[in-house]
Amino acid sequence: MSRGKLLVYLVRRDLRVADNPILHHLATADHGFSHLLPVFVLPPHQIEVSGFLAENEESPYPPALSKVGKFWRCGPNRAKFLAESIWDMKKSLETLESGLVVRVGSFDDVVTSIIDSLKDSSRSIDAVWMTEEKSFEEEEDQKAVSNVCTLNRIDFKLWADEKYFIDDHDTGLKHPQDLPDIFTTYRKTQEPLLKRPRPSLPCPKATSLPAFPPLTWAPPQKSPFVAPNTYDDFEYRLLQPVENMLAKPPVYPHDARSSHPFLGGESNGWSRLFHLVKNGGMAQYQDTRNGLIGLDFSTKLSGYLALGCVTARQIHAELVKLENGLEPAYGKSLGFGMGENEGTKAVRFELLWRDYMRLCTMKFGYRLFRLSGFKGEQKESANAEGKYDKKWKSADDKVAAEGQDPPPEQIKNILDRFLEGNTGMGLIDASQRELYHTGYTSNRARQNVASFFSKHLGIDWRYGAEWYEAMLIDYDVSSNWANWQYVSGVGNDPRGDARIFNPVKQAFDYDNNGEFVRAWVPEVKHLEKLENVFQAWTADEEDLVKFGLTDDLMVTDPVHKIEFMVDRKPRGPRRPYRWKRGPGRGSRRGGSSAPADHGDGAEEDHSSPIPTDGEGQYYSNDSILFTLTLNFIPNLNLTLTFTLTLILMLSLIPPSSSQDTLHLRTPHPPTLQLRPPA
Ligand SMILES: Cc1cc2nc3c(=O)[nH]c(=O)nc-3n(C[C@H](O)[C@H](O)[C@H](O)COP(=O)(O)OP(=O)(O)OC[C@H]3O[C@@H](n4cnc5c(N)ncnc54)[C@H](O)[C@@H]3O)c2cc1C
């Protein structure tokens, strides 16, 4: 083989061939490389790699456990989605007559081993390229590769990350520090969003990439690890060490259905995107986005975005094709040729939230992971905590404050029950079990879980963020940690500690027939009253006996109780609970046309999280009964009760906004054979 020029492309969260700046450049520009070796590195600090050890070997790397909770950092759901995405890119590259190898080890170890393996045959690497990622660990990885390259006199190039909706070079921010601390302020500087994204790049044509090195060049996997040969082997080795995330995992309820049954990879990401545009999911998004159950209430594109299987600007480009009537395949779709609509606008708004979280990471660096969050003062060292007066409870007696109440061992018990989805708070438990089994839970549920954990339980929010890192298919360092900070009151929510979600009220609002909680917490399935489904301890003795719940921990020892009156006389003199119906953002039956501040649909909840008294209320599928109770002659203890019954027929509600209707219409996404734009 003649001495060609070899480029090693370290593929990171860029698991796609279309709109890939590196591949596009290699396919179209005069670069001088004769050979291209794409390598996906499984970094042992983020992904547990002991499954790849040869027999009787020991790993040179510590286990990939999280810092605070000691959870596996990449749990089985994401590991699987990742494996599928890697394999999908491998197949796409093979179609382009290239390929992809997977190697286990730290980035610098992998590059060193490739250099060493080539030395013997007087070949060498001429350049190493990778896409820049601006988060703390990823920057460390970049530095490590850069150092190895400098030592070996190899060109090293970091490519700009182009996975933003609005490219970070186009935002007008001169410096990351100029990013406003309030999202709305930033959003206003970027509107109208429709015009801002850059065009996406086409997929390279077959044979346009530099040749894949012949097998004889392929650098072997460095011992003590072995490289996977087949997909099944790969998936098995990746998942096997992390299969047991919990000592007492929740049982899978046999009739619960995943809201995220989608496989990873660029081609599946595109199937999903085409489906959403074709079937009206994008056009209806604003009305359905706060759903909890079903396939299409939200886009479920987050996993593909997180691994770079699909980019935000590609999504934008498909929306433009719908809005401007440019793609005949969308000819019969809702919103075709009618310009930007409330749904497509709201999707862009969320994609800007994603950008904003990424820009926050750039601005705040390691403060993303600190207990004191963005709000805590800046310190020189990554490990030093910023001053912040909030006291968090810890399960670790080495870090818990002296005299912590409850003590660390009790917090450990509460934490376990939170992870298992056994707190007794229906909405939280359903979401946690759904997350455990499927790797996904809706944005509405995530907000409630994070708020419950950090604000009702007051436990160090990083346990929650780490658990999400482990369990979410769509884990993204910026979106996860910045959202946890936001909801926990240490991040960029201007309302901070004052915004508390009441998970019982939220369940009444968003799970208004109890379908979600009943599906994932089958123990409470047969309880009739919704308030009992949402908090089993409120059920009557008779029901508890009837449904075998008398000894259930959710009843005997719920980790937190919220006294939420339903259709009963208020108990105390506190502010009455008021049902705010109408155009508030996040209303399941409509919502305002202009999205509010937080892209998570953070409808303003009660500043008082625990309405121990107030109006009773009763909901059913097609009617809402308001009962107003007024105590206005207290000394005579005379209560005058007005009962106003308002029947809202479902026929008055647009069918498009009913999750059930949507669910019935599209039980499964069709497998479209469309490919990314060529
Ligand atoms: C505590 C907490 C943790 C979260 N962790 C993650 C995470 O690790 N990865 C992740 O992608 N999202 C995270 N989110 C944001 C949001 O919940 C998910 O993006 C969304 O639920 C994914 O489902 P979807 O693709 O159907 O979203 P859609 O509602 O269809 O939204 C479209 C896209 O917009 C982006 N988006 C929407 N909401 C947000 C948001 N609040 N912040 C940033 N981007 C957003 C996502 O890329 C999403 O795919 C988190 C939110 C909370 C409250």
Side-chain angles (χ1 to χ4, degrees), residues 285 298-302 350 354 440 443 474 476 480 483:
Y285 171 79
S298 66
T299 68
K300 319 282 169 66
L301 288 171
S302 48
E350 300 303 339
R354 178 174 173 273
Y440 184 84
N443 181 58
D474 64 26
D476 168 279
N480 187 59
N483 268 298

Side-chain angles (χ1 to χ4, degrees), residues 78 259-260 272 276 282 285 288-290 295-306 312 315 346-358 440-451 464-465 468-469 472-488 501 598-601:
R78 184 152 57 88
S259 292
H260 195 302
R272 178 76 191 145
L276 289 163
M282 290 299 200
Y285 171 79
T288 60
R289 58 181 296 273
N290 276 301
L295 298 179
D296 290 345
F297 63 81
S298 66
T299 68
K300 319 282 169 66
L301 288 171
S302 48
Y304 302 107
L305 285 160
I315 297 173
V347 172
R348 291 194 174 93
F349 179 93
E350 300 303 339
L351 293 173
L352 190 75
W353 258 108
R354 178 174 173 273
D355 280 5
Y356 181 71
M357 299 304 193
R358 290 160 67 92
Y440 184 84
T441 192
S442 67
N443 181 58
R444 175 60 46 185
R446 292 181 203 197
Q447 287 176 301
N448 275 281
V449 167
S451 170
Y468 266 28
E469 170 172 359
L472 280 174
I473 279 175
D474 64 26
Y475 170 72
D476 168 279
V477 61
S478 303
S479 294
N480 187 59
W481 288 82
N483 268 298
W484 267 93
Q485 285 210 10
Y486 190 100
V487 182
S488 306
F501 286 81
H598 193 259
D600 53 17

Side-chain angles (χ1 to χ4, degrees), residues 386-634:
K387 215 166 102 203
Y388 185 70
D389 53 12
K390 184 155 175 169
K391 298 263 176 294
W392 293 96
K393 293 176 185 128
S394 176
D396 181 349
D397 47 14
K398 287 191 219 67
V399 298
E402 221 182 283
Q404 176 185 287
D405 182 27
E409 62 277 14
Q410 218 169 308
I411 293 293
K412 168 87 181 75
N413 182 263
I414 294 174
L415 177 64
D416 287 343
R417 289 183 54 191
F418 168 78
L419 303 181
E420 291 157 11
N422 193 21
T423 65
M425 191 61 69
L427 180 62
I428 306 304
D429 292 342
S431 171
Q432 288 290 81
R433 295 185 194 191
E434 178 190 34
L435 174 69
Y436 182 84
H437 289 299
T438 71
Y440 184 84
T441 192
S442 67
N443 181 58
R444 175 60 46 185
R446 292 181 203 197
Q447 287 176 301
N448 275 281
V449 167
S451 170
F452 181 74
F453 189 71
S454 61
K455 288 179 173 160
H456 283 99
L457 303 182
I459 303 179
D460 180 340
W461 60 271
R462 295 171 304 173
Y463 286 105
E466 287 184 351
W467 184 245
Y468 266 28
E469 170 172 359
M471 299 313 296
L472 280 174
I473 279 175
D474 64 26
Y475 170 72
D476 168 279
V477 61
S478 303
S479 294
N480 187 59
W481 288 82
N483 268 298
W484 267 93
Q485 285 210 10
Y486 190 100
V487 182
S488 306
V490 296
N492 275 358
D493 180 3
R495 294 191 60 215
D497 281 339
R499 190 192 312 264
I500 306 179
F501 286 81
N502 176 340
V504 184
K505 176 188 177 288
Q506 290 268 315
F508 271 104
D509 287 353
Y510 295 99
D511 190 24
N512 58 16
N513 55 14
E515 194 189 356
F516 177 62
V517 175
R518 285 190 171 104
W520 289 103
V521 189
E523 299 96 303
V524 300
K525 192 174 178 166
H526 299 294
L527 291 170
E528 209 179 296
K529 290 185 187 154
L530 278 186
E531 70 260 37
N532 302 160
V533 172
F534 299 150
Q535 293 191 102
W537 62 270
T538 62
D540 293 341
E541 189 62 27
E542 197 185 321
D543 278 348
L544 294 177
V545 174
K546 189 166 154 197
F547 300 117
L549 286 167
T550 36
D551 294 331
D552 196 299
L553 268 185
M554 293 192 291
V555 171
T556 57
D557 187 21
V559 305
H560 192 81
K561 289 182 175 180
I562 294 184
E563 296 208 14
F564 191 83
M565 295 294 101
V566 180
D567 207 12
R568 268 185 244 157
K569 188 171 172 282
R571 262 204 208 153
R574 305 255 303 261
R575 182 166 72 85
Y577 166 62
R578 298 206 180 281
W579 160 242
K580 279 202 307 186
R581 178 129 172 77
R585 176 146 198 254
S587 160
R588 196 158 165 200
R589 296 199 171 103
S592 72
S593 52
D597 271 9
H598 193 259
D600 53 17
E603 170 202 14
E604 194 160 300
D605 209 32
H606 291 268
S607 44
S608 163
I610 306 173
T612 51
D613 52 7
E615 302 160 344
Q617 59 174 356
Y618 164 81
Y619 296 53
S620 81
N621 251 354
D622 52 3
S623 72
I624 297 175
L625 171 74
F626 294 89
T627 304
L628 302 172
T629 305
L630 304 178
N631 278 325
F632 62 89
I633 316 180

Side-chain angles (χ1 to χ4, degrees), residues 21 34 109 163 166 222 633:
S34 59
D109 283 356
K163 291 193 290 291
I166 298 175
K222 195 173 166 220
I633 316 180

